[in-house]
Amino acid sequence: MRERTEARRRRIEEVLRRRQPDLTVLLENVHKPHNLSAILRTCDAVGVLEAHAVNPTGGVPTFNETSGGSHKWVYLRVHPDLHEAFRFLKERGFTVYATALREDARDFREVDYTKPTAVLFGAEKWGVSEEALALADGAIKIPMLGMVQSLNVSVAAAVILFEAQRQRLKAGLYDRPRLDPELYQKVLADWLRK
Amino acid sequence: MRERTEARRRRIEEVLRRRQPDLTVLLENVHKPHNLSAILRTCDAVGVLEAHAVNPTGGVPTFNETSGGSHKWVYLRVHPDLHEAFRFLKERGFTVYATALREDARDFREVDYTKPTAVLFGAEKWGVSEEALALADGAIKIPMLGMVQSLNVSVAAAVILFEAQRQRLKAGLYDRPRLDPELYQKVLADWLRK
């Protein structure tokens, strides 16, 4: 039993050392539980410490097995409204990119995700609202080379977040702990209780 | 009305000119309709002409709105069994990579997707079977830097297929038609009837 606890603690510390406090997503009205779960699972895979949401799952935060338990390891901070979410992120130095199919949107691969970055995703059917687009620092899009014009929101989130992972791996941002010591100890204590 | 038909034809030809006959997926027992739809939608976005499957959706091919109609624009060839699927792909010069969480699996970003490539994905819960792994030319995996060890199958497919898109865009493989003239006319006629 002692070995298992030791192994688990080593595993948790290994993951915590790769957490990226300056990479996140802001989910606006993403209602379908399997989408929210899949996005949190991708967040875990690329090291997001905390995700942000406005009005997730229509107010009833239900997770299903698609998340594979990742909602345990990625904090989800739910903001009362868009303005509060943007204030929180802007205060902490995040550049917020909105995903949008607009002509003037940049190719998502042109963004430097090694800087503090939040990517905003909108509801499955409607995408990001005009209000959120106006608040964002810029619009980005995924090149769609077929007949269909948009991707499922959890697929789009994965494509963009793994580009961020690719850039951060290259920049060595997973090679050393990035949480300040106090936050590291606080999260470690919380995770060990899970 | 005539302008609309002309615009539609131009749109269809534009997409057909970017179709990649030598990039595809092989889906082994991917049963959940929303996963199959999301994967076909990603296939359309990166220009896959035809996808391959063994035993999709437990035999009842149902698509739902997640696919956004992409199953209309990506052919799905269902093979009676794995051996038949591999024979078909190997005969046409495809290298088949299986996604698998094995220690010896290569990082998916190390693969040259500009060559004729098929990526094999397995069932949601179990992943690729041992039988399929043995038939494949190699195993690849997506670096998972968090606590959860695997991604949702449609998310994994998107991450890998958009890496293929990134490489093929860079190599200019979307800049000129890649279907032979006869196949081009055949598909064009079929698409115009849709």
Side-chain angles (χ1 to χ4, degrees), chain A residues 11 15 18 32 41 44-45 65-66 109 142-143 145-150 152 155 158-159 162 165 174, chain B residues 11 15 18 32 41 44-45 65-66 109 142-143 145-150 152 155 158-159 162 165-166 174:
Chain A
R11 171 86 186 116
V15 169
R18 291 190 298 234
K32 290 187 184 168
R41 194 166 170 172
D44 175 67
E65 85 294 348
T66 320
R109 294 178 177 117
I142 295 173
L145 305 179
M147 290 298 285
V148 179
Q149 275 316 293
S150 68
N152 168 290
V155 165
V159 169
F162 272 92
Q165 185 202 61
Y174 293 101
Chain B
R11 172 84 185 112
V15 168
R18 292 191 298 233
K32 291 187 184 167
R41 193 166 168 171
D44 174 67
E65 84 292 351
T66 319
R109 293 179 177 116
I142 294 172
L145 306 179
M147 289 300 284
V148 178
Q149 274 316 294
S150 68
N152 169 288
V155 165
V159 169
F162 271 92
Q165 185 203 62
R166 191 180 70 84
Y174 294 100

Side-chain angles (χ1 to χ4, degrees), chain A residues 100-107 139-141 149:
Chain A
L101 285 171
R102 297 158 36 134
E103 276 302 308
D104 62 348
R106 284 164 64 193
D107 182 322
I140 57 176
K141 64 186 173 191
Q149 275 316 293

Side-chain angles (χ1 to χ4, degrees), chain A residues 181-194:
Chain A
E182 197 194 326
L183 179 59
Y184 182 95
Q185 291 306 328
K186 199 176 135 206
V187 176
L188 178 60
D190 181 42
W191 282 17
L192 288 173
R193 279 193 301 266
K194 289 187 192 280

Side-chain angles (χ1 to χ4, degrees), chain A residues 124-163:
Chain A
E124 287 82 357
K125 282 249 171 359
W126 318 115
V128 168
S129 65
E130 285 303 319
E131 187 194 359
L133 266 173
L135 290 167
D137 297 299
I140 57 176
K141 64 186 173 191
I142 295 173
M144 301 291 286
L145 305 179
M147 290 298 285
V148 179
Q149 275 316 293
S150 68
L151 292 171
N152 168 290
V153 64
S154 60
V155 165
V159 169
I160 294 174
L161 284 174
F162 272 92
E163 172 60 15

Side-chain angles (χ1 to χ4, degrees), chain A residues 96-126:
Chain A
V96 183
Y97 294 99
T99 48
L101 285 171
R102 297 158 36 134
E103 276 302 308
D104 62 348
R106 284 164 64 193
D107 182 322
F108 79 102
R109 294 178 177 117
E110 290 168 15
V111 168
D112 178 357
Y113 296 99
T114 62
K115 298 208 174 78
T117 311
V119 186
L120 168 62
F121 297 94
E124 287 82 357
K125 282 249 171 359
W126 318 115

Side-chain angles (χ1 to χ4, degrees), chain A residues 2-3 6 14 31 33 40 43 70 84-85 92 168 175:
Chain A
R2 238 179 71 76
E3 292 86 41
E6 271 311 308
E14 185 199 321
H31 288 161
L40 291 180
C43 282
S70 56
E84 184 42 34
R92 287 160 180 76
R168 285 178 175 237
D175 300 346

